[in-house]
Structures are given as C-alpha cells and as structure tokens.
Amino acid sequence: MTERGHNIAMLLRALEFSAARHRDQRRKDREASPYINHPIEVASVLANVGGVDDLTTLVAAILHDTIEDTQTTGKELEAQFSPDVRLLVEEMSDDKNLLKAERKRLQVELAPSLSARAKLIKLGDKICNLRDVIHRPPAHWTLERRREYLDWTERVVAGCRGCNPALEAWYDHVLREGRALLGPTV
C-alpha cells in the first residue's frame, strides 16, 4: 500500500472507531444531531480551512472526544493508531472528575502550553462549537449563556494564537458573526 493509501485507510479507521464509540451520543442542539458530526467537522475545518495535512493531527481531531466522552482508554488509541495519537487525544481531554467551571478555567489556563498539534485541534474544536452555539444552540441555553460562551472561547483561543493564521482568521470571522447575531455580553 502506498503512503497515501495508508493515510486514507488510517483516517477511515479513525472515523469508524469514533463513530462506533459515539454511536449512542447526540449533540445538545434542538435537533439532537448525531455526535459523530462534531469530530468529523473539526477534522474538516482543520484540513479545509487551516490546510492541515498532518495525519496524526487529523486522526486525533476525529478521536479528540473519545477519551473524554466515551469509555475509550489511551491504551486502546495507542493500540489502534499510534502513541502520538494517544498522547494528542489525552492532551485534548478534560478531566471529567473536575467540576465544569474548573475544566473551563483550566482550558483557558493551559491553552498556551499545549503542543502545536493540540492548539490546532483546540482551534478547530472551538470554531465548530462556536458555530453550533450561534446557529444551533442547546435548547435550554439563554441568550446570556450563549454570549458568555463566545467570551470564554475567545479566552481559550487567545492561548492558541500563532499556530495557524487561516484557522485564527476563521475563528475571528465566526466570533464576529456571533457577536453580530447575539449582541454584546451584558
């Protein structure tokens, strides 16, 4: 198999693995869209907006929520993919044993110290989540909570700046769109 063929096969394995792990999960939007749409969208934004073609980064983007949101272990990811994929997904994973406010605080605090690959995935993740909060928010979220989410992503992304100008510009575009539609934080 050629290197290109190997890369395509690994991406497809990651999609299949992530889809199986997230199969019973839904997003929090009103439509309860399939969760797998999110990691696919993150990888797509990295590749199509950011020009990211690093296989490890794209595979980890597809798998970035598997440890955090499913019963997947780092050992499983390493066995199925590689030690680098495992480490990158672990770097992206919040500790669900912590309270939500603490997890959010840590994302802001730790963003500047993330690896270059993790910063790319973090940017893609925040872009996709931001678009969802703007256009397909969870049904129970108030306008104020949505505005606060925009502010929080801005603080996280500030720590990721300098890794990919195209992704950063796209984030800025989506944030401006959100501020125009939702108005300023009160």
Side-chain angles (χ1 to χ4, degrees):
M1 183 181 296
T2 66
E3 181 180 349
R4 183 174 184 273
H6 169 77
N7 291 354
I8 291 169
M10 183 178 277
L11 281 170
L12 292 172
R13 276 197 342 267
L15 286 168
E16 182 179 40
F17 185 95
S18 188
R21 295 304 165 107
H22 293 295
R23 73 181 166 272
D24 296 324
Q25 296 176 331
R26 297 287 182 173
R27 296 290 281 172
K28 294 176 183 176
D29 58 19
R30 287 181 181 93
E31 297 81 25
S33 48
Y35 193 89
I36 189 61
N37 294 355
H38 171 67
I40 292 170
E41 184 181 17
V42 171
S44 179
V45 164
L46 292 180
N48 295 314
V49 174
V52 175
D53 61 4
D54 175 65
L55 180 63
T56 298
T57 303
L58 295 174
V59 167
I62 292 166
L63 300 168
H64 80 272
D65 281 333
T66 56
I67 290 176
E68 185 176 317
D69 292 339
T70 74
Q71 296 300 312
T72 303
T73 66
K75 287 182 181 183
E76 288 177 282
L77 293 181
E78 185 169 331
Q80 289 286 321
F81 302 99
S82 73
D84 288 341
V85 168
R86 172 195 181 157
L87 291 172
L88 192 47
V89 173
E90 287 176 341
E91 187 177 9
M92 293 298 304
S93 298
D94 286 346
D95 181 351
K96 288 289 190 113
N97 293 315
L98 300 174
L99 296 174
K100 187 173 187 168
E102 178 65 5
R103 293 193 312 263
K104 290 180 78 168
R105 185 191 70 75
L106 285 171
Q107 279 199 44
V108 173
E109 182 180 308
L110 298 176
S113 62
L114 292 173
S115 67
R117 286 171 163 164
K119 285 181 180 182
L120 293 170
I121 298 170
K122 185 69 74 176
L123 272 166
D125 184 48
K126 294 304 172 239
I127 289 166
C128 295
N129 285 338
L130 190 60
R131 286 195 313 209
D132 285 347
V133 165
I134 294 165
H135 299 290
R136 294 178 303 280
H140 65 281
W141 278 35
T142 64
L143 183 59
E144 187 58 28
R145 183 169 181 189
R146 292 167 67 196
R147 290 173 178 152
E148 288 170 359
Y149 188 86
L150 271 61
D151 294 342
W152 173 72
T153 65
E154 194 169 24
R155 292 191 303 276
V156 174
V157 167
C160 297
R161 294 223 179 246
C163 70
N164 186 299
L167 287 174
E168 293 164 34
W170 189 244
Y171 169 83
D172 293 339
H173 168 78
V174 174
L175 181 64
R176 279 191 305 276
E177 177 185 22
R179 296 227 189 271
L181 290 170
L182 303 180
T185 305
V186 182

